[in-house]
Structures are given as structure tokens and as C-alpha cells.
Amino acid sequence: MSSSLESLKIGIIGFGPFAQFLAITLVKQGHTLSATSRSDHSELSSRLGINFFRDIETFLEFNNDVILLCTSIVSLSEVVKSIPFHLLKKPNTLFVDVLSVKIYPRDLLLQVLPESMDLLCTHPMFGPESGRDGWHGLPFVFDKIRIRDQDICSRFLQIFEQEGCRMVEMSCEEHDKQAARSQFLTHTIGRVLSEMDIKSTSMDTKGFQTLIQLKESTVKDSFDLYSGLFIHNKLAQQELKNLELALQTVKQRLLDRMEIE
């Protein structure tokens, strides 16, 4: 078997729904997984064939090739600053984040990670809903921030290549610029529709059905995720201002038309 097809030992920090979703495919591909989390997921992990550790110290001694950070955006800083990196068996362990913003985790991890550790920033742009029937054609964005062990990095990326993902190498800056509009704006509109409590009617148009679907898919994500998109992406904050301005402009045009009539 060539090195590019060899299995990896992957440790996951933060074993919430998204990490569990990824883990199913990682195990299916034959990788050896371990996980640690603030909540006890030992029963689920056992069913999936994953080694679960309640304490991070024992977890770090498991000699992983890759440490996958699957914490929420808002808890990332607290989590990574509490990691006892000196317990890692591999001095050049590859750290990978999967957060929906990229500049923030990159800058934080470069500050905290020991210089010997490699860093790959990624954003699998799908989840349990959009990826439930497979990952083929779904975008996987990545930026090789500090990679010295090219083999480990290549083997990790191949996980997503093998599942048919559309691999998109992009800088963290460009990612956040594009995500501020495509992702944050989508979430914002969905949240607004949820606050309006829109529901299906007996005379739904196709357009209204699309709005219902947007609302329902958006609110399945946690508010922690949504607020993280806003707090840790300055460009998203500008998009919210742009949305407010656009709504006010449309409203004013309607009021002006009323005066004409």
C-alpha cells in the first residue's frame, strides 16, 4: 500500500454533532480515531469504534498523527489555551481546524501552537444535513498555513478527495471575504425568517417554499455557530450593516410610492 493510502491516527477535540458526522466517514475509510470532549460521549464512541477519553492528558498521549479541532468558534480560544502541548508524543503533529471562519483560528493557533507543530486551516462547507447522502461535489476549503510533513497533510486531505469533495485551496482572507456574504448572509436571512415564524400555507409559491426551507435549515445550526460567524469575521459585521441599509432603502422606496399614489 502506498503512503498516500495509509490510514492515519486522528484525534478529535470536541466531539459534538459535526465531529460525530465527520467521524463516521473517517472510521469507514479505516482511520484510527480517538476523541475527547467536555461532555461524555463514551457510549457513542464505543459504538463507532472510537477511543474516547474524558481527560485531555490521556488523549494527547495516544500518539495521533493529526489533531482535529472541532470545538465551537466561541469556545476555541479557551480550549486551545488549555491544551498541555508538551504531552504530545509527535513533535510535528498536524493540527487541523474545521471552523466556519478562518482568519481567527489561524491567528490564534499560530500564537498558541508550538513552532514544531504543523497547521492546516480547513472549512468543510457541508454538514449532517447537506452531506447525509455523501460528500460528492461538496466544497472543502483549505489553506496550508505551516506544513513541513507533506505526507501527513496529503493523506489527511485525501480523506475528502476520496469522498469526491470539490477541493478548494484558498487563503483564510479570501475565505472570510466570500463567507461573509455567502454564509453569514444566508444564516442571517434564515434567522430573520425564523423570528417572523413563517409557516407553509395552502397557497405557497415555489419562492415561499424556498424561504421555508432556508429558515428550517438555518435554525438547525446552533446560535453559537451563527454568533461566531458574526463576532469573528469583521467582514460579516459589515454585511449586516449592508443588509440593514438595503432594507431601509427598499422600505423608503415603498413609502415614496405611497406618497405618489
Side-chain angles (χ1 to χ4, degrees), residues 113-125:
L113 282 181
E115 175 63 28
S116 64
M117 305 294 177
D118 283 358
L119 176 58
L120 177 69
C121 287
T122 78
H123 183 190
M125 300 194 68

Side-chain angles (χ1 to χ4, degrees), residues 64-187:
N64 288 297
D65 302 305
V66 179
I67 300 291
L68 196 58
L69 296 167
C70 292
T71 67
S72 69
I73 299 172
V74 295
S75 65
L76 179 68
S77 179
E78 176 187 354
V79 170
V80 299
K81 289 180 179 178
S82 68
I83 296 174
F85 294 103
H86 64 280
L87 295 178
L88 284 165
K89 297 296 185 181
K90 290 182 180 290
N92 61 337
T93 304
L94 172 63
F95 276 77
V96 182
D97 90 276
V98 293
L99 272 64
S100 299
V101 295
K102 294 274 60 81
I103 294 175
Y104 168 65
R106 178 199 64 188
D107 292 351
L108 174 64
L109 289 165
L110 284 176
Q111 291 174 13
V112 176
L113 282 181
E115 175 63 28
S116 64
M117 305 294 177
D118 283 358
L119 176 58
L120 177 69
C121 287
T122 78
H123 183 190
M125 300 194 68
F126 49 88
E129 282 297 312
S130 57
R132 63 184 173 183
D133 297 323
W135 302 355
H136 185 80
L138 298 174
F140 180 86
V141 180
F142 64 98
D143 191 5
K144 297 178 180 179
I145 306 302
R146 186 169 66 201
I147 303 297
R148 282 155 296 201
D149 191 328
Q150 298 290 341
D151 180 57
I152 293 294
C153 180
S154 176
R155 285 156 61 190
F156 178 80
L157 290 174
Q158 192 173 33
I159 291 170
F160 299 89
E161 293 172 355
Q162 287 182 352
E163 295 301 315
C165 288
R166 179 163 56 85
M167 307 298 287
V168 183
E169 187 165 7
M170 177 186 294
S171 71
C172 293
E173 286 81 3
E174 183 61 25
H175 171 278
D176 283 5
K177 178 182 177 182
Q178 294 191 25
R181 176 152 293 189
S182 65
Q183 188 177 28
F184 174 74
L185 198 55
T186 300
H187 275 261

Side-chain angles (χ1 to χ4, degrees), residues 176-225:
D176 283 5
K177 178 182 177 182
Q178 294 191 25
R181 176 152 293 189
S182 65
Q183 188 177 28
F184 174 74
L185 198 55
T186 300
H187 275 261
T188 299
I189 298 298
R191 292 278 170 180
V192 170
L193 295 173
S194 177
E195 289 296 321
M196 293 175 67
D197 197 27
I198 65 169
K199 293 181 171 67
S200 292
T201 71
S202 60
M203 49 180 287
D204 285 1
T205 61
K206 289 291 185 181
F208 190 70
Q209 289 174 358
T210 299
L211 292 181
I212 293 288
Q213 292 170 2
L214 173 60
K215 181 204 73 168
E216 292 177 348
S217 64
T218 300
V219 297
K220 287 179 181 177
D221 290 319
S222 70
F223 198 81
D224 270 359
L225 170 62

